[in-house]
Amino acid sequence: MTATDRSLELVQTAAQAAADKLAHDVIAYDVSDVLSITDAFLLASAPNDRQVKAIVDEIEERLQKELGAKPVRREGDRESRWILLDYVDIVVHVQHSEERVFYALERLWKDCPELELPADARATRGKAQEHARLQAAEAADEPEGEWR
C-alpha cells in the first residue's frame, strides 16, 4: 500500500508552506505500510518557539485555503516546542530544533520510503546544523560577562 494522491498533495503543500516560513530539515515519509491510521508523516523544525508557531500557522492556512483541509486535531500549542497537526491522511510534526534532535523521529521511520518534496523544502536540509554552527560561532566571539 502506498500513500494516496490526496496524501501526497497535502504533503507537498504543507512542505512548501514550511519551507516558505524558513523551516529546517523538512522531510516526509510514506508510513502507509506500517501504520493504518495515516499515510504520511511530515517533519520540520525551527530554532525557536515563535518560528515553530509561525510554520504551523502557515501550514494550516495554506492547507485550508488551497486544499480545503482542516486538521482534526492540533496538539502542543501551549509551549510551541512540538506542535502536531493531524489531517488523518497525513500527520505534520513541527518541532523546536532541540526536540527534533532529542526525539529523532527520523530514526523511527528511516525504513519507510521518503516522499519527494518541492525543491524549496529539499533545500532546507542541513539548515539546523548550519544554524547551530552559526550560534556557536557567535557565542564564541562574545566576551564573557559583557552584554551586547
Side-chain angles (χ1 to χ4, degrees):
M1 183 178 228
T2 60
T4 65
D5 290 341
R6 174 67 173 172
S7 298
L8 297 174
E9 185 178 37
L10 290 166
V11 163
Q12 294 289 317
T13 302
Q16 185 62 55
D20 289 347
K21 285 295 179 178
L22 307 177
H24 294 171
D25 301 317
V26 179
I27 192 166
Y29 295 101
D30 181 340
V31 297
S32 60
D33 283 341
V34 294
L35 290 176
S36 60
I37 57 171
T38 193
D39 283 348
F41 278 168
L42 178 73
L43 311 175
S45 56
N48 62 63
D49 303 349
R50 185 180 295 162
Q51 192 174 357
V52 167
K53 180 124 176 50
I55 292 165
V56 167
D57 290 345
E58 183 69 12
I59 291 170
E60 268 194 299
E61 184 178 319
R62 293 276 270 293
L63 290 179
Q64 169 65 40
K65 188 186 292 184
E66 295 177 19
L67 302 175
K70 285 181 148 180
V72 296
R73 190 176 67 185
R74 180 178 173 151
E75 294 184 8
D77 276 333
R78 202 163 289 174
E79 291 86 28
S80 295
R81 301 282 295 177
W82 181 351
I83 299 177
L84 178 143
L85 298 172
D86 184 350
Y87 286 90
V88 179
D89 294 323
I90 71 166
V91 175
V92 177
H93 298 269
V94 182
Q95 299 174 297
H96 188 287
S97 298
E98 293 169 358
E99 270 70 15
R100 178 89 177 253
V101 170
F102 183 78
Y103 289 101
L105 295 179
E106 289 91 339
R107 266 196 347 241
L108 295 172
W109 307 111
K110 69 179 181 214
D111 294 333
C112 295
E114 195 175 316
L115 294 172
E116 186 68 27
L117 296 177
D120 291 342
R122 287 192 313 270
T124 67
R125 303 283 172 83
K127 293 287 184 185
Q129 279 184 313
E130 182 182 320
H131 180 77
R133 197 169 38 255
L134 288 172
Q135 293 291 87
E138 284 178 14
D141 287 343
E142 287 184 19
E144 284 193 38
E146 289 187 27
W147 291 86
R148 284 190 169 184

mmCIF file with all atom_site columns, all heavy atoms in Angstrom, residues 3 7 9-10 13-14 44 48 50 58-59 68 71 78 88 96 98 109 117 123 130 137-140:
data_model
loop_
_atom_site.group_PDB
_atom_site.id
_atom_site.type_symbol
_atom_site.label_atom_id
_atom_site.label_alt_id
_atom_site.label_comp_id
_atom_site.label_asym_id
_atom_site.label_entity_id
_atom_site.label_seq_id
_atom_site.pdbx_PDB_ins_code
_atom_site.Cartn_x
_atom_site.Cartn_y
_atom_site.Cartn_z
_atom_site.occupancy
_atom_site.B_iso_or_equiv
_atom_site.pdbx_formal_charge
_atom_site.auth_seq_id
_atom_site.auth_comp_id
_atom_site.auth_asym_id
_atom_site.auth_atom_id
_atom_site.pdbx_PDB_model_num
ATOM 1   N N   . ALA A 1 3   ? 0.947   5.780  -0.124 1.00 0.00 ? 3   ALA A N   1
ATOM 2   C CA  . ALA A 1 3   ? 0.190   6.977  0.208  1.00 0.00 ? 3   ALA A CA  1
ATOM 3   C C   . ALA A 1 3   ? -0.726  7.351  -0.961 1.00 0.00 ? 3   ALA A C   1
ATOM 4   O O   . ALA A 1 3   ? -0.346  7.223  -2.124 1.00 0.00 ? 3   ALA A O   1
ATOM 5   C CB  . ALA A 1 3   ? 1.143   8.115  0.519  1.00 0.00 ? 3   ALA A CB  1
ATOM 6   N N   . SER A 1 7   ? -3.046  12.377 -0.025 1.00 0.00 ? 7   SER A N   1
ATOM 7   C CA  . SER A 1 7   ? -1.993  12.494 0.988  1.00 0.00 ? 7   SER A CA  1
ATOM 8   C C   . SER A 1 7   ? -0.761  13.168 0.406  1.00 0.00 ? 7   SER A C   1
ATOM 9   O O   . SER A 1 7   ? -0.162  14.042 1.044  1.00 0.00 ? 7   SER A O   1
ATOM 10  C CB  . SER A 1 7   ? -1.612  11.126 1.538  1.00 0.00 ? 7   SER A CB  1
ATOM 11  O OG  . SER A 1 7   ? -2.704  10.526 2.165  1.00 0.00 ? 7   SER A OG  1
ATOM 12  N N   . GLU A 1 9   ? -0.639  15.202 -2.109 1.00 0.00 ? 9   GLU A N   1
ATOM 13  C CA  . GLU A 1 9   ? -0.972  16.605 -2.355 1.00 0.00 ? 9   GLU A CA  1
ATOM 14  C C   . GLU A 1 9   ? -0.872  17.423 -1.054 1.00 0.00 ? 9   GLU A C   1
ATOM 15  O O   . GLU A 1 9   ? -0.322  18.527 -1.034 1.00 0.00 ? 9   GLU A O   1
ATOM 16  C CB  . GLU A 1 9   ? -2.390  16.678 -2.930 1.00 0.00 ? 9   GLU A CB  1
ATOM 17  C CG  . GLU A 1 9   ? -2.849  18.038 -3.354 1.00 0.00 ? 9   GLU A CG  1
ATOM 18  C CD  . GLU A 1 9   ? -4.245  18.007 -3.947 1.00 0.00 ? 9   GLU A CD  1
ATOM 19  O OE1 . GLU A 1 9   ? -5.116  17.225 -3.465 1.00 0.00 ? 9   GLU A OE1 1
ATOM 20  O OE2 . GLU A 1 9   ? -4.476  18.777 -4.891 1.00 0.00 ? 9   GLU A OE2 1
ATOM 21  N N   . LEU A 1 10  ? -1.377  16.871 0.037  1.00 0.00 ? 10  LEU A N   1
ATOM 22  C CA  . LEU A 1 10  ? -1.289  17.533 1.342  1.00 0.00 ? 10  LEU A CA  1
ATOM 23  C C   . LEU A 1 10  ? 0.169   17.703 1.769  1.00 0.00 ? 10  LEU A C   1
ATOM 24  O O   . LEU A 1 10  ? 0.559   18.765 2.259  1.00 0.00 ? 10  LEU A O   1
ATOM 25  C CB  . LEU A 1 10  ? -2.060  16.744 2.398  1.00 0.00 ? 10  LEU A CB  1
ATOM 26  C CG  . LEU A 1 10  ? -3.586  16.740 2.284  1.00 0.00 ? 10  LEU A CG  1
ATOM 27  C CD1 . LEU A 1 10  ? -4.192  15.663 3.179  1.00 0.00 ? 10  LEU A CD1 1
ATOM 28  C CD2 . LEU A 1 10  ? -4.166  18.103 2.626  1.00 0.00 ? 10  LEU A CD2 1
ATOM 29  N N   . THR A 1 13  ? 1.958   20.492 -0.342 1.00 0.00 ? 13  THR A N   1
ATOM 30  C CA  . THR A 1 13  ? 1.526   21.836 0.041  1.00 0.00 ? 13  THR A CA  1
ATOM 31  C C   . THR A 1 13  ? 2.061   22.213 1.419  1.00 0.00 ? 13  THR A C   1
ATOM 32  O O   . THR A 1 13  ? 2.563   23.323 1.627  1.00 0.00 ? 13  THR A O   1
ATOM 33  C CB  . THR A 1 13  ? -0.012  21.931 0.007  1.00 0.00 ? 13  THR A CB  1
ATOM 34  O OG1 . THR A 1 13  ? -0.458  21.597 -1.318 1.00 0.00 ? 13  THR A OG1 1
ATOM 35  C CG2 . THR A 1 13  ? -0.493  23.326 0.368  1.00 0.00 ? 13  THR A CG2 1
ATOM 36  N N   . ALA A 1 14  ? 1.987   21.281 2.368  1.00 0.00 ? 14  ALA A N   1
ATOM 37  C CA  . ALA A 1 14  ? 2.478   21.543 3.723  1.00 0.00 ? 14  ALA A CA  1
ATOM 38  C C   . ALA A 1 14  ? 3.993   21.746 3.728  1.00 0.00 ? 14  ALA A C   1
ATOM 39  O O   . ALA A 1 14  ? 4.507   22.631 4.423  1.00 0.00 ? 14  ALA A O   1
ATOM 40  C CB  . ALA A 1 14  ? 2.093   20.403 4.661  1.00 0.00 ? 14  ALA A CB  1
ATOM 41  N N   . ALA A 1 44  ? 9.319   18.852 10.344 1.00 0.00 ? 44  ALA A N   1
ATOM 42  C CA  . ALA A 1 44  ? 10.016  20.113 10.119 1.00 0.00 ? 44  ALA A CA  1
ATOM 43  C C   . ALA A 1 44  ? 10.430  20.654 11.475 1.00 0.00 ? 44  ALA A C   1
ATOM 44  O O   . ALA A 1 44  ? 9.860   20.273 12.502 1.00 0.00 ? 44  ALA A O   1
ATOM 45  C CB  . ALA A 1 44  ? 9.121   21.119 9.400  1.00 0.00 ? 44  ALA A CB  1
ATOM 46  N N   . ASN A 1 48  ? 13.415  28.316 17.207 1.00 0.00 ? 48  ASN A N   1
ATOM 47  C CA  . ASN A 1 48  ? 12.768  28.965 18.348 1.00 0.00 ? 48  ASN A CA  1
ATOM 48  C C   . ASN A 1 48  ? 11.258  28.731 18.322 1.00 0.00 ? 48  ASN A C   1
ATOM 49  O O   . ASN A 1 48  ? 10.691  28.372 17.291 1.00 0.00 ? 48  ASN A O   1
ATOM 50  C CB  . ASN A 1 48  ? 13.104  30.465 18.416 1.00 0.00 ? 48  ASN A CB  1
ATOM 51  C CG  . ASN A 1 48  ? 12.620  31.219 17.207 1.00 0.00 ? 48  ASN A CG  1
ATOM 52  O OD1 . ASN A 1 48  ? 11.421  31.294 16.942 1.00 0.00 ? 48  ASN A OD1 1
ATOM 53  N ND2 . ASN A 1 48  ? 13.554  31.779 16.445 1.00 0.00 ? 48  ASN A ND2 1
ATOM 54  N N   . ARG A 1 50  ? 8.694   30.755 18.580 1.00 0.00 ? 50  ARG A N   1
ATOM 55  C CA  . ARG A 1 50  ? 7.898   31.657 17.744 1.00 0.00 ? 50  ARG A CA  1
ATOM 56  C C   . ARG A 1 50  ? 7.873   31.181 16.299 1.00 0.00 ? 50  ARG A C   1
ATOM 57  O O   . ARG A 1 50  ? 6.843   31.213 15.640 1.00 0.00 ? 50  ARG A O   1
ATOM 58  C CB  . ARG A 1 50  ? 8.451   33.073 17.830 1.00 0.00 ? 50  ARG A CB  1
ATOM 59  C CG  . ARG A 1 50  ? 7.602   34.077 17.082 1.00 0.00 ? 50  ARG A CG  1
ATOM 60  C CD  . ARG A 1 50  ? 8.156   35.473 17.178 1.00 0.00 ? 50  ARG A CD  1
ATOM 61  N NE  . ARG A 1 50  ? 8.089   35.913 18.556 1.00 0.00 ? 50  ARG A NE  1
ATOM 62  C CZ  . ARG A 1 50  ? 8.775   36.922 19.042 1.00 0.00 ? 50  ARG A CZ  1
ATOM 63  N NH1 . ARG A 1 50  ? 9.588   37.607 18.269 1.00 0.00 ? 50  ARG A NH1 1
ATOM 64  N NH2 . ARG A 1 50  ? 8.666   37.271 20.301 1.00 0.00 ? 50  ARG A NH2 1
ATOM 65  N N   . GLU A 1 58  ? 1.203   28.782 9.091  1.00 0.00 ? 58  GLU A N   1
ATOM 66  C CA  . GLU A 1 58  ? 1.269   28.855 7.631  1.00 0.00 ? 58  GLU A CA  1
ATOM 67  C C   . GLU A 1 58  ? 0.804   27.542 6.999  1.00 0.00 ? 58  GLU A C   1
ATOM 68  O O   . GLU A 1 58  ? 0.079   27.554 5.998  1.00 0.00 ? 58  GLU A O   1
ATOM 69  C CB  . GLU A 1 58  ? 2.696   29.186 7.172  1.00 0.00 ? 58  GLU A CB  1
ATOM 70  C CG  . GLU A 1 58  ? 2.847   29.350 5.688  1.00 0.00 ? 58  GLU A CG  1
ATOM 71  C CD  . GLU A 1 58  ? 2.166   30.592 5.119  1.00 0.00 ? 58  GLU A CD  1
ATOM 72  O OE1 . GLU A 1 58  ? 1.744   31.479 5.884  1.00 0.00 ? 58  GLU A OE1 1
ATOM 73  O OE2 . GLU A 1 58  ? 2.061   30.670 3.879  1.00 0.00 ? 58  GLU A OE2 1
ATOM 74  N N   . ILE A 1 59  ? 1.208   26.426 7.561  1.00 0.00 ? 59  ILE A N   1
ATOM 75  C CA  . ILE A 1 59  ? 0.760   25.126 7.038  1.00 0.00 ? 59  ILE A CA  1
ATOM 76  C C   . ILE A 1 59  ? -0.757  25.026 7.121  1.00 0.00 ? 59  ILE A C   1
ATOM 77  O O   . ILE A 1 59  ? -1.425  24.668 6.146  1.00 0.00 ? 59  ILE A O   1
ATOM 78  C CB  . ILE A 1 59  ? 1.436   23.961 7.791  1.00 0.00 ? 59  ILE A CB  1
ATOM 79  C CG1 . ILE A 1 59  ? 2.932   23.901 7.448  1.00 0.00 ? 59  ILE A CG1 1
ATOM 80  C CG2 . ILE A 1 59  ? 0.756   22.628 7.470  1.00 0.00 ? 59  ILE A CG2 1
ATOM 81  C CD1 . ILE A 1 59  ? 3.740   22.949 8.314  1.00 0.00 ? 59  ILE A CD1 1
ATOM 82  N N   . GLY A 1 68  ? -8.703  22.997 1.087  1.00 0.00 ? 68  GLY A N   1
ATOM 83  C CA  . GLY A 1 68  ? -9.909  22.833 1.893  1.00 0.00 ? 68  GLY A CA  1
ATOM 84  C C   . GLY A 1 68  ? -9.748  21.848 3.035  1.00 0.00 ? 68  GLY A C   1
ATOM 85  O O   . GLY A 1 68  ? -10.718 21.259 3.496  1.00 0.00 ? 68  GLY A O   1
ATOM 86  N N   . PRO A 1 71  ? -7.220  20.468 10.108 1.00 0.00 ? 71  PRO A N   1
ATOM 87  C CA  . PRO A 1 71  ? -6.769  19.375 10.981 1.00 0.00 ? 71  PRO A CA  1
ATOM 88  C C   . PRO A 1 71  ? -7.903  18.906 11.884 1.00 0.00 ? 71  PRO A C   1
ATOM 89  O O   . PRO A 1 71  ? -8.717  19.714 12.335 1.00 0.00 ? 71  PRO A O   1
ATOM 90  C CB  . PRO A 1 71  ? -5.645  20.006 11.794 1.00 0.00 ? 71  PRO A CB  1
ATOM 91  C CG  . PRO A 1 71  ? -5.898  21.474 11.755 1.00 0.00 ? 71  PRO A CG  1
ATOM 92  C CD  . PRO A 1 71  ? -6.614  21.744 10.462 1.00 0.00 ? 71  PRO A CD  1
ATOM 93  N N   . ARG A 1 78  ? 0.580   24.993 23.643 1.00 0.00 ? 78  ARG A N   1
ATOM 94  C CA  . ARG A 1 78  ? 0.909   25.753 24.847 1.00 0.00 ? 78  ARG A CA  1
ATOM 95  C C   . ARG A 1 78  ? 2.361   26.213 24.888 1.00 0.00 ? 78  ARG A C   1
ATOM 96  O O   . ARG A 1 78  ? 2.643   27.378 25.088 1.00 0.00 ? 78  ARG A O   1
ATOM 97  C CB  . ARG A 1 78  ? 0.588   24.928 26.089 1.00 0.00 ? 78  ARG A CB  1
ATOM 98  C CG  . ARG A 1 78  ? 0.391   25.809 27.301 1.00 0.00 ? 78  ARG A CG  1
ATOM 99  C CD  . ARG A 1 78  ? -0.302  25.096 28.376 1.00 0.00 ? 78  ARG A CD  1
ATOM 100 N NE  . ARG A 1 78  ? -1.689  24.905 27.960 1.00 0.00 ? 78  ARG A NE  1
ATOM 101 C CZ  . ARG A 1 78  ? -2.560  24.207 28.638 1.00 0.00 ? 78  ARG A CZ  1
ATOM 102 N NH1 . ARG A 1 78  ? -2.217  23.618 29.731 1.00 0.00 ? 78  ARG A NH1 1
ATOM 103 N NH2 . ARG A 1 78  ? -3.791  24.089 28.210 1.00 0.00 ? 78  ARG A NH2 1
ATOM 104 N N   . VAL A 1 88  ? -5.591  13.351 9.355  1.00 0.00 ? 88  VAL A N   1
ATOM 105 C CA  . VAL A 1 88  ? -5.981  11.966 9.100  1.00 0.00 ? 88  VAL A CA  1
ATOM 106 C C   . VAL A 1 88  ? -5.113  11.357 8.000  1.00 0.00 ? 88  VAL A C   1
ATOM 107 O O   . VAL A 1 88  ? -4.411  10.383 8.250  1.00 0.00 ? 88  VAL A O   1
ATOM 108 C CB  . VAL A 1 88  ? -7.486  11.798 8.778  1.00 0.00 ? 88  VAL A CB  1
ATOM 109 C CG1 . VAL A 1 88  ? -7.830  10.349 8.509  1.00 0.00 ? 88  VAL A CG1 1
ATOM 110 C CG2 . VAL A 1 88  ? -8.341  12.350 9.912  1.00 0.00 ? 88  VAL A CG2 1
ATOM 111 N N   . HIS A 1 96  ? 10.671  22.224 17.806 1.00 0.00 ? 96  HIS A N   1
ATOM 112 C CA  . HIS A 1 96  ? 11.835  23.054 18.121 1.00 0.00 ? 96  HIS A CA  1
ATOM 113 C C   . HIS A 1 96  ? 13.048  22.179 17.805 1.00 0.00 ? 96  HIS A C   1
ATOM 114 O O   . HIS A 1 96  ? 13.016  20.959 17.996 1.00 0.00 ? 96  HIS A O   1
ATOM 115 C CB  . HIS A 1 96  ? 11.794  23.435 19.601 1.00 0.00 ? 96  HIS A CB  1
ATOM 116 C CG  . HIS A 1 96  ? 12.819  24.432 19.993 1.00 0.00 ? 96  HIS A CG  1
ATOM 117 N ND1 . HIS A 1 96  ? 14.158  24.110 20.100 1.00 0.00 ? 96  HIS A ND1 1
ATOM 118 C CD2 . HIS A 1 96  ? 12.716  25.746 20.296 1.00 0.00 ? 96  HIS A CD2 1
ATOM 119 C CE1 . HIS A 1 96  ? 14.823  25.177 20.457 1.00 0.00 ? 96  HIS A CE1 1
ATOM 120 N NE2 . HIS A 1 96  ? 13.976  26.197 20.585 1.00 0.00 ? 96  HIS A NE2 1
ATOM 121 N N   . GLU A 1 98  ? 15.745  21.547 19.288 1.00 0.00 ? 98  GLU A N   1
ATOM 122 C CA  . GLU A 1 98  ? 16.228  20.702 20.390 1.00 0.00 ? 98  GLU A CA  1
ATOM 123 C C   . GLU A 1 98  ? 15.380  19.445 20.535 1.00 0.00 ? 98  GLU A C   1
ATOM 124 O O   . GLU A 1 98  ? 15.914  18.353 20.768 1.00 0.00 ? 98  GLU A O   1
ATOM 125 C CB  . GLU A 1 98  ? 16.223  21.499 21.696 1.00 0.00 ? 98  GLU A CB  1
ATOM 126 C CG  . GLU A 1 98  ? 17.235  22.620 21.708 1.00 0.00 ? 98  GLU A CG  1
ATOM 127 C CD  . GLU A 1 98  ? 17.056  23.586 22.872 1.00 0.00 ? 98  GLU A CD  1
ATOM 128 O OE1 . GLU A 1 98  ? 16.106  23.419 23.670 1.00 0.00 ? 98  GLU A OE1 1
ATOM 129 O OE2 . GLU A 1 98  ? 17.876  24.506 22.979 1.00 0.00 ? 98  GLU A OE2 1
ATOM 130 N N   . TRP A 1 109 ? 11.315  6.162  11.626 1.00 0.00 ? 109 TRP A N   1
ATOM 131 C CA  . TRP A 1 109 ? 10.682  5.960  10.327 1.00 0.00 ? 109 TRP A CA  1
ATOM 132 C C   . TRP A 1 109 ? 11.681  5.785  9.192  1.00 0.00 ? 109 TRP A C   1
ATOM 133 O O   . TRP A 1 109 ? 11.303  5.801  8.019  1.00 0.00 ? 109 TRP A O   1
ATOM 134 C CB  . TRP A 1 109 ? 9.745   7.136  10.037 1.00 0.00 ? 109 TRP A CB  1
ATOM 135 C CG  . TRP A 1 109 ? 8.793   7.332  11.168 1.00 0.00 ? 109 TRP A CG  1
ATOM 136 C CD1 . TRP A 1 109 ? 8.762   8.372  12.043 1.00 0.00 ? 109 TRP A CD1 1
ATOM 137 C CD2 . TRP A 1 109 ? 7.770   6.423  11.594 1.00 0.00 ? 109 TRP A CD2 1
ATOM 138 N NE1 . TRP A 1 109 ? 7.776   8.169  12.978 1.00 0.00 ? 109 TRP A NE1 1
ATOM 139 C CE2 . TRP A 1 109 ? 7.158   6.993  12.729 1.00 0.00 ? 109 TRP A CE2 1
ATOM 140 C CE3 . TRP A 1 109 ? 7.320   5.195  11.131 1.00 0.00 ? 109 TRP A CE3 1
ATOM 141 C CZ2 . TRP A 1 109 ? 6.110   6.367  13.406 1.00 0.00 ? 109 TRP A CZ2 1
ATOM 142 C CZ3 . TRP A 1 109 ? 6.276   4.573  11.797 1.00 0.00 ? 109 TRP A CZ3 1
ATOM 143 C CH2 . TRP A 1 109 ? 5.692   5.157  12.916 1.00 0.00 ? 109 TRP A CH2 1
ATOM 144 N N   . LEU A 1 117 ? 9.673   15.879 -2.209 1.00 0.00 ? 117 LEU A N   1
ATOM 145 C CA  . LEU A 1 117 ? 9.168   17.177 -1.766 1.00 0.00 ? 117 LEU A CA  1
ATOM 146 C C   . LEU A 1 117 ? 9.555   18.253 -2.774 1.00 0.00 ? 117 LEU A C   1
ATOM 147 O O   . LEU A 1 117 ? 10.480  18.060 -3.568 1.00 0.00 ? 117 LEU A O   1
ATOM 148 C CB  . LEU A 1 117 ? 9.746   17.528 -0.390 1.00 0.00 ? 117 LEU A CB  1
ATOM 149 C CG  . LEU A 1 117 ? 9.359   16.605 0.766  1.00 0.00 ? 117 LEU A CG  1
ATOM 150 C CD1 . LEU A 1 117 ? 10.064  17.047 2.040  1.00 0.00 ? 117 LEU A CD1 1
ATOM 151 C CD2 . LEU A 1 117 ? 7.854   16.575 0.967  1.00 0.00 ? 117 LEU A CD2 1
ATOM 152 N N   . ALA A 1 123 ? 15.676  22.002 -0.076 1.00 0.00 ? 123 ALA A N   1
ATOM 153 C CA  . ALA A 1 123 ? 16.783  22.923 0.193  1.00 0.00 ? 123 ALA A CA  1
ATOM 154 C C   . ALA A 1 123 ? 16.932  23.242 1.683  1.00 0.00 ? 123 ALA A C   1
ATOM 155 O O   . ALA A 1 123 ? 17.944  23.805 2.093  1.00 0.00 ? 123 ALA A O   1
ATOM 156 C CB  . ALA A 1 123 ? 16.589  24.218 -0.599 1.00 0.00 ? 123 ALA A CB  1
ATOM 157 N N   . GLU A 1 130 ? 23.560  24.074 10.254 1.00 0.00 ? 130 GLU A N   1
ATOM 158 C CA  . GLU A 1 130 ? 24.149  25.355 9.867  1.00 0.00 ? 130 GLU A CA  1
ATOM 159 C C   . GLU A 1 130 ? 23.811  26.429 10.905 1.00 0.00 ? 130 GLU A C   1
ATOM 160 O O   . GLU A 1 130 ? 24.682  27.197 11.317 1.00 0.00 ? 130 GLU A O   1
ATOM 161 C CB  . GLU A 1 130 ? 23.612  25.751 8.493  1.00 0.00 ? 130 GLU A CB  1
ATOM 162 C CG  . GLU A 1 130 ? 24.156  27.033 7.938  1.00 0.00 ? 130 GLU A CG  1
ATOM 163 C CD  . GLU A 1 130 ? 23.515  27.360 6.590  1.00 0.00 ? 130 GLU A CD  1
ATOM 164 O OE1 . GLU A 1 130 ? 23.305  26.425 5.786  1.00 0.00 ? 130 GLU A OE1 1
ATOM 165 O OE2 . GLU A 1 130 ? 23.230  28.542 6.363  1.00 0.00 ? 130 GLU A OE2 1
ATOM 166 N N   . ALA A 1 137 ? 29.443  29.876 16.858 1.00 0.00 ? 137 ALA A N   1
ATOM 167 C CA  . ALA A 1 137 ? 30.483  30.826 16.463 1.00 0.00 ? 137 ALA A CA  1
ATOM 168 C C   . ALA A 1 137 ? 30.226  32.198 17.081 1.00 0.00 ? 137 ALA A C   1
ATOM 169 O O   . ALA A 1 137 ? 31.155  32.858 17.555 1.00 0.00 ? 137 ALA A O   1
ATOM 170 C CB  . ALA A 1 137 ? 30.564  30.932 14.946 1.00 0.00 ? 137 ALA A CB  1
ATOM 171 N N   . GLU A 1 138 ? 28.963  32.619 17.082 1.00 0.00 ? 138 GLU A N   1
ATOM 172 C CA  . GLU A 1 138 ? 28.611  33.904 17.692 1.00 0.00 ? 138 GLU A CA  1
ATOM 173 C C   . GLU A 1 138 ? 28.878  33.884 19.192 1.00 0.00 ? 138 GLU A C   1
ATOM 174 O O   . GLU A 1 138 ? 29.391  34.843 19.751 1.00 0.00 ? 138 GLU A O   1
ATOM 175 C CB  . GLU A 1 138 ? 27.144  34.234 17.434 1.00 0.00 ? 138 GLU A CB  1
ATOM 176 C CG  . GLU A 1 138 ? 26.863  34.699 16.029 1.00 0.00 ? 138 GLU A CG  1
ATOM 177 C CD  . GLU A 1 138 ? 25.383  34.977 15.801 1.00 0.00 ? 138 GLU A CD  1
ATOM 178 O OE1 . GLU A 1 138 ? 24.607  35.065 16.775 1.00 0.00 ? 138 GLU A OE1 1
ATOM 179 O OE2 . GLU A 1 138 ? 25.011  35.115 14.621 1.00 0.00 ? 138 GLU A OE2 1
ATOM 180 N N   . ALA A 1 139 ? 28.532  32.796 19.842 1.00 0.00 ? 139 ALA A N   1
ATOM 181 C CA  . ALA A 1 139 ? 28.752  32.675 21.287 1.00 0.00 ? 139 ALA A CA  1
ATOM 182 C C   . ALA A 1 139 ? 30.248  32.702 21.614 1.00 0.00 ? 139 ALA A C   1
ATOM 183 O O   . ALA A 1 139 ? 30.662  33.278 22.622 1.00 0.00 ? 139 ALA A O   1
ATOM 184 C CB  . ALA A 1 139 ? 28.114  31.396 21.815 1.00 0.00 ? 139 ALA A CB  1
ATOM 185 N N   . ALA A 1 140 ? 31.052  32.107 20.765 1.00 0.00 ? 140 ALA A N   1
ATOM 186 C CA  . ALA A 1 140 ? 32.498  32.079 20.987 1.00 0.00 ? 140 ALA A CA  1
ATOM 187 C C   . ALA A 1 140 ? 33.116  33.465 20.809 1.00 0.00 ? 140 ALA A C   1
ATOM 188 O O   . ALA A 1 140 ? 34.118  33.782 21.452 1.00 0.00 ? 140 ALA A O   1
ATOM 189 C CB  . ALA A 1 140 ? 33.159  31.097 20.030 1.00 0.00 ? 140 ALA A CB  1
#
